[in-house]
Amino acid sequence: MPVAASAIYFLNLRGDVLINRLYRDDVGGNMVDAFRTHIMQTKELGVCPVRQIGGCSFFYMRISNVYIVIVVSSNANVACAFKFVVEAVALFKSYFGGSFDEDAIRNNFVLIYELLDEIMDFGYPQNLSPEILKLYITQEGVRSPFSSKPTDKPVPNATLQVTGAVGWRREGLVYKKNEVFLDIVESVNLLMSSKGSVLRCDVTGKILMKCFLSGMPDLKLGLNDKIGLEKESQLKSRPTKSGKTIELDDVTFHQCVNLTRFNSEKTVSFVPPDGEFELMKYRITEGVNLPFRVLPTIKELGRTRMEVNVKVKSVFGAKMFALGVVIKVPVPKQTAKTSFQVTSGRAKYNASIDCLVWKIRKFPGQTEPTMSAEVELISTMTEKKSWTRPPIQMEFQVPMFTASGLRVRFLKVWEKSGYNTVEWVRYITKAGSYEIRC
Amino acid sequence: MSGHDSKYFSTTKKGEIPELKDELNSQYKDKKRDAVKKVIAAMTVGKDVSSLFTDVVNCMQTENLELKKLVYLYLINYAKSQPDLAILAVNTFVKDSQDPNPLIRALAVRTMGCIRVDKITEYLCDPLQRCLKDDDPYVRKTAAICVAKLYDINAELVEDRGFLDTLKDLISDNNPMVVANAVAALAEIQENSARPIFEITSQTLSKLLTALNECTEWGQVFILDALSRYKAADAREAENIVERVTPRLQHANCAVVLSAVKMILQQMELITSTDVVRNLCKKMAPPLVTLLSAEPEIQYVALRNINLIVQRRPTILAHEIKVFFCKYNDPIYVKMEKLEIMIKLASDRNIDQVLLEFKEYATEVDVDFVRKAVRAIGRCAIKLERAAERCISVLLELIKIKVNYVVQEAIIVIKDIFRRYPNTYESIIATLCESLDTLDEPEAKASMIWIIGEYAERIDNADELLESFLESFPEEPAMVQLQLLTATVKLFLKKPTEGPQQMIQVVLNNATVETDNPDLRDRAYIYWRLLSTDPEAAKDVVLAEKPVISDDSNQLDPSLLDELLANIATLSSVYHKPPEAFVTRVKTTVQRSEDEEYADVGETGYSDSTGRAIDSSGTTTTSSVTAATKQPAPAPTPPAPAAAVPDLLGDLIGLDNAIVPVDEPTTATGPPLPVLLPASTGQGLQISAQLTRRDGQIFYDMSFENNAQIPLDGFMIQFNKNAFGLAAGGPLQVPQLQPGTSARVLLPMVLFQNISPGPPNSLLQVAVKNNQQPVWYFSDKISLLVLFTEDGRMERTNFLETWKSLPDSNEVVKDLPNVVVNSVEATLDRLAASNMFFIAKRRHANQEVLYLSAKIPRGIPVLIELTAVIGIAGVKCAIKTPNAEMAPLFFESVEALLRG
């Protein structure tokens, strides 16, 4: 049964109900008390996101300082429930202008009630596209499109759009200048052993799109991925141009992309929603260009002293540079004093996270700055267990670089009025979980 | 565009309710609206504002949509507590449902469906009828869901008003969202009804697969979930379906992906081409891996499902073990699940890498995770023989770190490794003994003591080591005491010198006289007697070779796995439990009309000579395992012929499944039972027993006859693993049996407890013991007849479809030459008494062909075709069922039934 929820609760960290909505009769209104006493007020919190208490099951997620709890008593679709919460939060954020927290909920409770009524019916998720919902659910109820007041701009086909085949774009959009912005954002995930061998490495990328296009345009996107290119050369019966092609392990698309067509023709074609959205996500594990290599040496000299040497090598083009590079080197809890020598950036000891934090604001390619630090420890008698070394973590952003090598080959826009469009493409690679064991 | 609604939460000094009342009745619209908002704010924080009901409802008639929605919200919350006043709202609802604005029409119907007050429901039907046929798809999609709401409140009303047919028509609607919601509603109604309401034919299937392309992401989930119940007719159809579903694997919504995976896995069971299967496995891997980059909560759901998928199709992710390596910052619940999957995927090829990871995890901070990692190393050693040595060396390295809980966990798993590979790795015992002093957890202590006892002959100072534990014997937990006892006996048998002799006396004394624990005392006495009567026999018993263990922990039973795979993405797949194990809601069965039609068939069951009662009111007992957790279904009031039922049955109903000891054996309790343990072998105790079904519950009808010279008491019973996992559902309650008396009891049985692997057979091995005699073993036959459930009746169309949907390979035919059918009616009666239900009959030349249906627990249908010539010996019996291997059992039972 694809029911996702019988009731949904929004609680603050103390467990007070901020807002709630019962969708079905099969769970009592006081079930949230069970959640409070059995999960929130015990050590169970955070042990498992799906829990059964009595005849009910609870799924919960924490988002900023709010717990969102779903209660069911049937064999509900959990995947659907969690995805619904994620999408609902995205929807609320889009309505409140970015933030979602306790205050935002209190300040918009009428609107949230209205949205909760609209996006789920009897536990079944309905249309959650912000674009369409904003047509008829507005901050000020008086702006309702069907109100008889003459000042209102009516959107007579709102209901058709909610349920329509293109349920994410409204009709009749007009832009003076037709523009599309494409952002290719990649996160590199790396797990490297202390000996420098790569244990796990992958890139998860997403293509974010911002569309300011008139009418109902049809878009087609071409990337330098292997399968797409092969298919294309098959269709046009001419060999592919030489150049780097990459192999995507997996791709997932926004609901606007025609999946059947992708499956048969390997082309990404779609009618985009208006404004900003995430067009696709992909994952690559083969042939990843790691932007940085980290070479740590950590020596424990006796019981009270440590020597930390870290060399970071940037392996991207010399003309490029990385921004906001942070290297966090964990040290034991009983660290007392530290002294540093760095060839670039600044380093300091942050006691709250037990790390040496080395920051380099601008990090050019093909360089290798080093940090060497001496750490003095308080000698403790109780510490029998040896220090378990957590991995070194790294943060960075490298503009105009893709760790996967992905490139946009073309973006074609068709609209019946035949206007010209301007396309902008940006690339950026960020650190996902970039960890080096030491 | 942030709002400022928080101001509505602030209260004024004056009495709140009267003030709100004033404001609600204000003539200014703005003031009114603010007042309603304040009411809703008060409702949100849990204040009782139900006293304002009339005033709020008066605000309902408004042009302002926002205000209207707030009033509706108030109504949903409070209508139940003020049912009489709720009627005030009906007029507006009905009026709104005819509003020119489709949003208001939909809102009215949606809200009315949420108000579970009879008076409102009565008025809902007409608007709902209209809205189901509304021009606007938004209204239709809302009305479709509303039918499911109404069905939940009053199923009869839905059937009487023909809403189901209208709903079915919506499957062909031209709007995809209407289709999706209609499918969701129908699927839910079907789930709560025993009658076939929403059957997926190949036409609906193809229609819905087409709609899939145009639906919203959620609609796709509804449709895929509903279609996953569809059983393709053959491999080709299955391939077609799969081909149309695979594009969904690329969807960004995890629920769509998991539902698509569920459907593909279901159809794959039918696909015979290995190429196609291999190809599908290849296609499913990347999307499953991608789920692991979602939010941790979604990752958790995905991992629990992957755990199931890997058990059925290990090839899918065989090469992807790296993606399950834990990240340092993964939440603990994700780490634990990843670890479990890593063990499942570990192979000779990747074990080195996996061991390095486990070793890394064993040095992390979270104690539970560290323990699980250490245990994982041990489980890999048990699973992969060639890697065992490497696993052990990693364990030894970890022991050397001397972190207390790591050492203890390592010792626990090393004990298992010793069990798996006896006489191979004893050289490491010396290292283990070094950590002896640090052990403080019972399980670790017990494991270490077991090792010392088992290898006493190779440990020079084994007696000293054990002695060090003995001092604290009385304070040790039971687990350690039991191991100490056994280990000391082993030591004594292996080294019968003076030291161990003294020790054994201390231990036996401690374990018999000084303890309250019956288990410990029993074991000690057994050893004591063994040692004092025949030390050689004691050696044979205590030092016997042990069966080799394997790592089957966390491996699910195949039939349960099947059920869970059919429930991918749902709670059931997360808990790894079948839905009926945690869903307590009682199903409302609507079987009225059917019962009336077939009542006469059911009633004949009561007069049947075997005394097997048929519950004709059609309560759906899915399986007796869950019967205890469910609330009793609508009372199955026994109809008039109940008088013919033996008295015993009356008691049974009254006692609600309790065990009924019967003091005197009377002939009234039914026919004599077959003797399974004759008095000659049972030292005077004679046991007769038979499985029987009464009121949808399986009982073991047993009779005990004491022909011995002494009174017998303390009867206990146990069942060996068997094909259906039958086991006792409660203790055996036999009163003390004086010599020359007998007792008859009904032991309630439960299913699916200890299922023996392999093809099903009818063997049921039983052990019965009492306080005076040795344990008696005897075996019985499980008659399939007692498993047939009362809800096995099928509609004719359903029967035909099921028959067609099953491949021909599932049809088994057998001639029963010794059976004579003298009268069709009598035969049908007899079959009906055993829950085999008559569907149709056909004449072919001089032959009578009868079609019947039955159902065994877990809803597996059995379709039966009997061909016979009246009065002439010889019946051809053909059956078709998803579990064709049940056929021999079936023939055996039917033959016995028809002959007897």
Side-chain angles (χ1 to χ4, degrees):
Chain A
M1 186 154 78
V3 158
S6 288
I8 185 165
Y9 290 92
F10 296 76
L11 309 177
N12 66 10
L13 297 185
R14 277 190 314 178
D16 302 332
V17 178
L18 300 174
I19 203 166
N20 74 309
R21 173 75 206 251
L22 292 170
Y23 288 107
R24 281 173 166 261
D25 207 35
D26 56 353
V27 298
N30 54 353
M31 279 321 292
V32 71
D33 297 336
F35 179 79
R36 266 195 295 259
T37 47
H38 292 281
I39 300 179
M40 281 192 92
Q41 291 162 4
T42 62
K43 285 183 194 153
E44 298 291 306
L45 197 64
V47 171
C48 179
V50 181
R51 279 290 307 276
Q52 188 187 359
I53 304 168
C56 291
S57 294
F58 296 79
F59 321 146
Y60 62 98
M61 264 179 150
R62 182 179 161 170
I63 296 186
S64 79
N65 56 0
V66 178
Y67 279 103
I68 303 179
V69 186
I70 279 188
V71 192
V72 297
S73 78
S74 58
N75 183 25
N77 190 322
V78 194
C80 205
F82 277 128
K83 189 69 188 172
F84 172 78
V85 173
V86 172
E87 299 270 299
V89 170
L91 173 69
F92 296 151
K93 280 184 177 167
S94 132
Y95 264 95
F96 313 154
S99 69
F100 177 84
D101 53 23
E102 189 178 344
D103 289 340
I105 293 176
R106 282 199 196 278
N107 281 326
N108 295 284
F109 82 98
V110 173
L111 176 66
I112 295 182
Y113 271 131
E114 212 175 317
L115 287 172
L116 285 176
D117 192 44
E118 192 62 42
I119 59 180
M120 184 172 261
D121 194 3
F122 203 43
Y124 295 99
Q126 305 291 308
N127 199 332
L128 271 81
S129 304
E131 184 62 16
I132 295 296
L133 288 169
K134 280 179 184 166
L135 282 179
Y136 62 100
I137 296 183
T138 47
Q139 195 81 1
E140 287 81 32
V142 283
R143 267 213 266 127
S144 165
F146 293 95
S147 158
S148 54
K149 283 186 187 170
T151 48
D152 282 324
K153 269 189 265 168
V155 189
N157 53 358
T159 54
L160 294 177
Q161 293 196 28
V162 180
T163 57
V166 188
W168 52 85
R169 186 181 180 88
R170 83 183 121 109
E171 285 164 17
L173 289 164
V174 181
Y175 287 99
K176 224 161 138 191
K177 196 174 170 191
N178 289 294
E179 283 181 305
V180 185
F181 298 86
L182 271 179
D183 276 328
I184 286 89
V185 183
E186 296 198 335
S187 316
V188 202
N189 298 305
L190 171 78
L191 183 60
M192 197 178 260
S193 78
S194 50
K195 296 186 180 80
S197 62
V198 175
L199 294 174
R200 191 192 53 225
C201 172
D202 61 87
V203 172
T204 53
K206 49 189 175 186
I207 300 186
L208 301 175
M209 210 164 190
K210 222 184 272 175
C211 280
F212 302 111
L213 296 172
S214 315
M216 276 288 182
D218 253 311
L219 272 66
K220 198 167 153 186
L221 177 73
L223 303 169
N224 61 335
D225 71 302
K226 209 169 158 190
I227 306 171
L229 282 170
E230 271 167 16
K231 196 82 188 181
E232 198 173 297
S233 62
Q234 257 174 39
L235 289 174
K236 293 178 183 166
S237 64
R238 67 159 189 243
T240 40
K241 282 173 233 149
S242 59
K244 202 190 168 204
T245 63
I246 58 158
E247 211 166 327
L248 298 173
D249 281 20
D250 188 34
V251 271
T252 57
F253 295 106
H254 184 267
Q255 57 165 324
C256 68
V257 175
N258 186 330
L259 291 178
T260 318
R261 198 152 158 207
F262 175 77
N263 208 46
S264 56
E265 298 167 25
K266 300 289 167 202
T267 53
V268 183
S269 52
F270 54 99
V271 180
D274 193 40
E276 206 174 335
F277 70 104
E278 186 182 294
L279 175 67
M280 63 181 270
K281 268 199 224 166
Y282 55 90
R283 192 162 44 79
I284 291 171
T285 44
E286 299 299 321
V288 175
N289 314 314
L290 292 174
F292 291 100
R293 295 202 82 92
V294 181
L295 309 160
T297 41
I298 297 180
K299 278 186 221 152
E300 289 179 55
L301 308 169
R303 297 186 53 173
T304 58
R305 244 161 47 81
M306 268 173 63
E307 218 176 75
V308 179
N309 278 298
V310 181
K311 188 198 279 183
V312 181
K313 226 174 177 174
S314 55
V315 278
F316 45 85
K319 281 180 191 159
M320 288 192 273
F321 52 84
L323 296 173
V325 178
V326 181
I327 299 125
K328 292 181 191 161
V329 185
V331 289
K333 266 200 164 12
Q334 66 270 30
T335 298
K337 217 174 121 187
T338 51
S339 60
F340 298 95
Q341 275 193 320
V342 288
T343 58
S344 172
R346 290 168 133 190
K348 63 175 186 205
Y349 166 60
N350 184 335
S352 62
I353 52 171
D354 297 316
C355 279
L356 307 179
V357 181
W358 178 22
K359 288 184 180 167
I360 303 166
R361 202 165 291 151
K362 198 168 172 182
F363 195 137
Q366 303 297 335
T367 55
E368 40 178 283
T370 56
M371 170 186 83
S372 46
E374 278 198 17
V375 180
E376 279 177 39
L377 309 172
I378 306 167
S379 65
T380 50
M381 302 304 290
T382 49
E383 200 68 23
K384 199 177 172 187
K385 183 176 136 188
S386 71
W387 173 52
T388 65
R389 296 178 172 180
I392 294 179
Q393 295 186 326
M394 197 170 166
E395 294 165 18
F396 54 79
Q397 295 188 355
V398 192
M400 298 321 281
F401 172 83
T402 50
S404 63
L406 186 89
R407 285 281 176 272
V408 173
R409 289 172 43 242
F410 60 81
L411 178 70
K412 292 176 187 160
V413 181
W414 281 282
E415 217 283 331
K416 51 180 186 282
S417 63
Y419 53 71
N420 287 322
T421 49
V422 187
E423 295 111 29
W424 307 88
V425 184
R426 285 192 300 186
Y427 300 91
I428 191 165
T429 293
K430 295 180 185 172
S433 104
Y434 209 83
E435 296 177 347
I436 297 97
R437 290 181 181 158
C438 53
Chain B
M1 45 192 253
S2 181
H4 304 282
D5 296 345
S6 54
K7 64 173 184 267
Y8 300 114
F9 288 98
S10 57
T11 52
T12 49
K13 283 183 190 123
K14 201 182 152 194
E16 202 180 7
I17 299 281
E19 193 173 293
L20 280 173
K21 212 179 180 81
D22 285 351
E23 287 176 25
L24 283 170
N25 292 316
S26 160
Q27 52 189 344
Y28 302 108
K29 278 182 182 168
D30 285 354
K31 209 163 188 186
K32 232 181 193 175
R33 198 179 68 223
D34 280 0
V36 175
K37 281 189 184 176
K38 279 181 198 164
V39 171
I40 299 290
M43 182 182 94
T44 304
V45 296
K47 282 180 200 150
D48 183 18
V49 282
S50 59
S51 56
L52 295 168
F53 199 91
T54 339
D55 308 282
V56 176
V57 171
N58 281 339
C59 303
M60 195 170 162
Q61 292 216 32
T62 169
E63 280 281 293
N64 185 324
L65 197 55
E66 186 192 18
L67 182 57
K68 194 181 273 290
K69 282 179 180 173
L70 290 174
V71 176
Y72 278 8
L73 185 71
Y74 178 90
L75 274 171
I76 292 174
N77 268 281
Y78 288 112
K80 233 181 173 176
S81 60
Q82 307 267 1
D84 296 329
L85 291 174
I87 196 85
L88 292 172
V90 164
N91 261 334
T92 321
F93 273 130
V94 174
K95 207 172 127 236
D96 280 356
S97 75
Q98 286 162 306
D99 196 277
N101 181 345
L103 287 173
I104 293 182
R105 292 204 294 276
L107 182 65
V109 175
R110 185 163 69 213
T111 312
M112 275 179 102
C114 294
I115 299 175
R116 302 170 67 98
V117 172
D118 285 344
K119 280 177 189 140
I120 300 256
T121 313
E122 277 169 38
Y123 288 95
L124 170 61
C125 288
D126 290 325
L128 182 57
Q129 197 112 49
R130 266 197 311 274
C131 288
L132 278 167
K133 301 214 160 108
D134 201 286
D135 287 337
D136 194 295
Y138 182 82
V139 181
R140 290 202 300 277
K141 73 116 181 161
T142 311
I145 294 281
C146 191
V147 176
K149 292 180 190 170
L150 185 59
Y151 193 89
D152 195 38
I153 304 170
N154 190 339
E156 276 176 45
L157 203 58
V158 171
E159 305 215 342
D160 294 347
R161 296 291 295 253
F163 286 135
L164 290 179
D165 293 324
T166 324
L167 198 55
K168 280 184 212 163
D169 292 342
L170 288 184
I171 293 182
S172 315
D173 200 280
N174 56 15
N175 184 293
M177 198 152 174
V178 177
V179 176
N181 278 3
V183 167
L186 279 169
E188 177 173 337
I189 291 171
Q190 176 65 78
E191 199 163 295
N192 292 325
S193 167
R195 286 203 314 142
I197 288 167
F198 177 42
E199 297 196 41
I200 300 164
T201 60
S202 51
Q203 287 97 328
T204 17
L205 177 88
S206 108
K207 221 182 301 179
L208 290 179
L209 284 174
T210 314
L212 210 51
N213 281 322
E214 294 163 351
C215 277
T216 64
E217 38 193 338
W218 313 106
Q220 296 183 20
V221 178
F222 306 160
I223 291 180
L224 287 170
D225 275 3
L227 292 186
S228 66
R229 286 192 294 120
Y230 181 80
K231 300 273 178 293
D234 51 32
R236 219 182 50 203
E237 190 184 10
E239 280 179 42
N240 278 336
I241 296 172
V242 164
E243 197 175 314
R244 296 178 69 177
V245 173
T246 32
R248 298 301 124 201
L249 294 174
Q250 248 71 54
H251 205 287
N253 186 320
C254 61
V256 176
V257 174
L258 277 175
S259 291
V261 167
K262 163 162 58 187
M263 187 145 175
I264 293 171
L265 284 173
Q266 294 286 312
Q267 301 302 336
M268 261 166 92
E269 296 294 319
L270 282 175
I271 297 178
T272 43
S273 152
T274 48
D275 278 353
V276 176
V277 170
R278 198 180 317 125
N279 205 1
L280 283 172
C281 287
K282 229 165 105 188
K283 275 191 184 155
M284 270 190 284
L288 286 174
V289 173
T290 298
L291 294 177
L292 300 183
S293 54
E295 289 74 10
E297 289 84 0
I298 292 174
Q299 283 185 48
Y300 173 75
V301 176
L303 286 165
R304 291 294 283 174
N305 279 288
I306 288 172
N307 190 322
L308 298 173
I309 296 167
V310 166
Q311 287 186 47
R312 172 54 45 91
R313 306 228 172 237
T315 48
I316 295 184
L317 293 162
H319 301 281
E320 305 280 359
I321 195 163
K322 276 189 176 184
V323 303
F324 298 101
F325 287 2
C326 300
K327 294 182 186 157
Y328 191 74
N329 291 331
D330 277 339
I332 184 70
Y333 52 83
V334 168
K335 283 184 175 175
M336 292 294 211
E337 293 306 319
K338 282 186 172 174
L339 210 53
E340 197 57 51
I341 292 169
M342 282 170 76
I343 299 171
K344 292 214 161 69
L345 294 179
S347 65
D348 287 328
R349 213 158 26 82
N350 57 26
I351 185 69
D352 287 326
Q353 225 174 359
V354 170
L355 279 178
L356 274 178
E357 281 297 304
F358 286 161
K359 200 179 148 192
E360 189 72 33
Y361 305 157
T363 59
E364 276 196 26
V365 193
D366 189 295
V367 177
D368 287 336
F369 181 58
V370 170
R371 283 173 178 278
K372 190 154 176 144
V374 176
R375 203 160 273 219
I377 300 173
R379 280 170 62 188
C380 285
I382 290 165
K383 186 179 155 190
L384 306 168
E385 189 164 1
R386 272 190 278 170
E389 201 165 337
R390 276 169 282 170
C391 296
I392 288 179
S393 66
V394 173
L395 285 172
L396 289 178
E397 280 174 51
L398 289 173
I399 289 179
K400 281 185 193 129
I401 304 177
K402 295 226 181 284
V403 176
N404 194 327
Y405 50 86
V406 175
V407 175
Q408 311 215 33
E409 201 66 35
I411 285 175
I412 295 168
V413 295
I414 287 176
K415 177 207 66 185
D416 289 338
I417 297 175
F418 282 171
R419 285 282 321 260
R420 170 72 175 79
Y421 310 106
N423 307 316
T424 322
Y425 298 111
E426 285 70 34
S427 54
I428 65 168
I429 293 177
T431 323
L432 302 184
C433 290
E434 286 167 21
S435 330
L436 214 55
D437 310 334
T438 57
L439 303 182
D440 53 9
E441 290 164 25
E443 202 184 351
K445 258 189 189 176
S447 302
M448 192 65 220
I449 293 167
W450 182 87
I451 293 172
I452 297 172
E454 188 67 16
Y455 297 102
E457 72 276 23
R458 308 194 194 183
I459 307 171
D460 296 335
N461 58 344
D463 43 352
E464 283 170 38
L465 295 177
L466 279 181
E467 207 161 8
S468 65
F469 286 105
L470 283 183
E471 286 155 23
S472 54
F473 189 94
E475 290 87 51
E476 295 289 358
M479 184 193 251
V480 180
Q481 288 180 330
L482 283 167
Q483 279 310 328
L484 261 176
L485 172 63
T486 308
T488 321
V489 173
K490 283 180 185 166
L491 172 72
F492 173 71
L493 288 171
K494 287 176 176 177
K495 294 183 181 172
T497 52
E498 197 180 334
Q501 186 145 16
Q502 274 171 0
M503 278 165 67
I504 196 118
Q505 268 161 2
V506 175
V507 171
L508 286 176
N509 188 45
N510 263 323
T512 49
V513 186
E514 309 277 322
T515 181
D516 301 330
N517 183 337
D519 284 343
L520 183 65
R521 205 168 45 213
D522 280 1
R523 196 187 282 190
Y525 274 125
I526 288 171
Y527 285 143
W528 202 328
R529 280 177 205 157
L530 263 174
L531 290 172
S532 55
T533 47
D534 188 353
E536 278 311 305
K539 254 186 191 165
D540 289 344
V541 173
V542 179
L543 304 179
E545 207 163 292
K546 286 161 204 65
V548 171
I549 58 163
S550 62
D551 178 39
D552 54 0
S553 50
N554 305 30
Q555 207 76 26
L556 293 167
D557 171 74
S559 60
L560 176 61
L561 185 59
D562 275 341
E563 193 175 355
L564 297 181
L565 283 171
N567 277 305
I568 281 182
T570 66
L571 255 183
S572 170
S573 73
V574 173
Y575 289 151
H576 290 187
K577 286 181 196 164
E580 59 270 21
F582 57 91
V583 177
T584 47
R585 200 151 54 116
V586 181
K587 286 184 178 180
T588 46
T589 45
V590 188
Q591 273 203 318
R592 252 177 332 124
S593 51
E594 252 190 286
D595 290 342
E596 281 154 18
E597 263 171 59
Y598 292 100
D600 50 341
V601 183
E603 277 171 13
T604 51
Y606 282 94
S607 53
D608 187 59
S609 58
T610 57
R612 228 174 246 123
I614 305 300
D615 183 3
S616 68
S617 59
T619 44
T620 51
T621 32
T622 39
S623 81
S624 43
V625 185
T626 57
T629 56
K630 283 186 179 171
Q631 293 164 26
T637 41
V645 181
D647 291 337
L648 177 68
L649 212 56
D651 277 343
L652 242 183
I653 294 167
L655 283 168
D656 193 21
N657 291 352
I659 299 122
V660 187
V662 179
D663 294 326
E664 288 171 46
T666 49
T667 45
T669 55
L673 301 165
V675 176
L676 298 175
L677 180 79
S680 53
T681 38
Q683 292 180 6
L685 175 68
Q686 176 177 301
I687 302 177
S688 346
Q690 191 173 32
L691 283 168
T692 157
R693 186 177 189 90
R694 291 180 193 185
D695 283 332
Q697 157 87 7
I698 303 172
F699 291 96
Y700 204 37
D701 190 353
M702 303 187 79
S703 161
F704 297 84
E705 208 176 308
N706 184 4
N707 299 322
Q709 303 303 316
I710 45 165
L712 302 174
D713 59 11
F715 281 92
M716 282 160 94
I717 192 166
Q718 200 168 22
F719 296 85
N720 197 357
K721 285 188 181 179
N722 55 71
F724 301 96
L726 274 166
L732 182 66
Q733 298 196 347
V734 180
Q736 191 185 48
L737 274 186
Q738 294 302 326
T741 61
S742 65
R744 188 156 174 172
V745 294
L746 273 180
L747 175 70
M749 301 288 283
V750 287
L751 283 163
F752 306 119
Q753 295 302 308
N754 271 315
I755 299 181
S756 62
N761 60 48
S762 62
L763 189 65
L764 178 68
Q765 291 173 322
V766 191
V768 172
K769 73 168 218 177
N770 57 50
N771 285 347
Q772 286 74 25
Q773 294 180 315
V775 181
W776 302 117
Y777 299 95
F778 56 89
S779 43
D780 193 3
K781 270 191 174 164
I782 304 172
S783 164
L784 206 56
L785 303 177
V786 302
L787 294 170
F788 288 148
T789 55
E790 282 68 18
D791 63 341
R793 189 190 301 286
M794 272 189 180
E795 294 264 283
R796 192 185 284 234
T797 48
N798 191 4
F799 180 87
L800 283 173
E801 263 165 39
T802 317
W803 186 281
K804 278 188 213 144
S805 70
L806 290 168
D808 286 340
S809 59
N810 279 22
E811 185 172 341
V812 190
V813 185
K814 193 177 177 192
D815 281 312
L816 311 173
N818 299 325
V819 176
V820 192
V821 174
N822 287 319
S823 143
V824 173
E825 280 69 35
T827 309
L828 287 180
D829 285 353
R830 192 175 279 177
L831 291 168
S834 291
N835 289 339
M836 283 178 270
F837 300 100
F838 175 61
I839 305 270
K841 148 170 107 166
R842 183 161 68 90
R843 267 202 106 112
H844 186 264
N846 59 341
Q847 291 178 322
E848 296 279 348
V849 188
L850 307 174
Y851 295 93
L852 301 108
S853 72
K855 202 185 251 181
I856 47 182
R858 300 230 164 123
I860 302 167
V862 182
L863 311 178
I864 309 156
E865 182 193 65
L866 291 175
T867 314
V869 182
I870 300 295
I872 295 178
V875 170
K876 190 175 132 211
C877 178
I879 70 159
K880 214 168 180 185
T881 169
N883 281 26
E885 43 190 12
M886 293 280 183
L889 270 71
F890 176 82
F891 295 132
E892 201 176 324
S893 316
V894 166
E895 189 169 13
L897 178 74
L898 292 179
R899 281 170 74 182

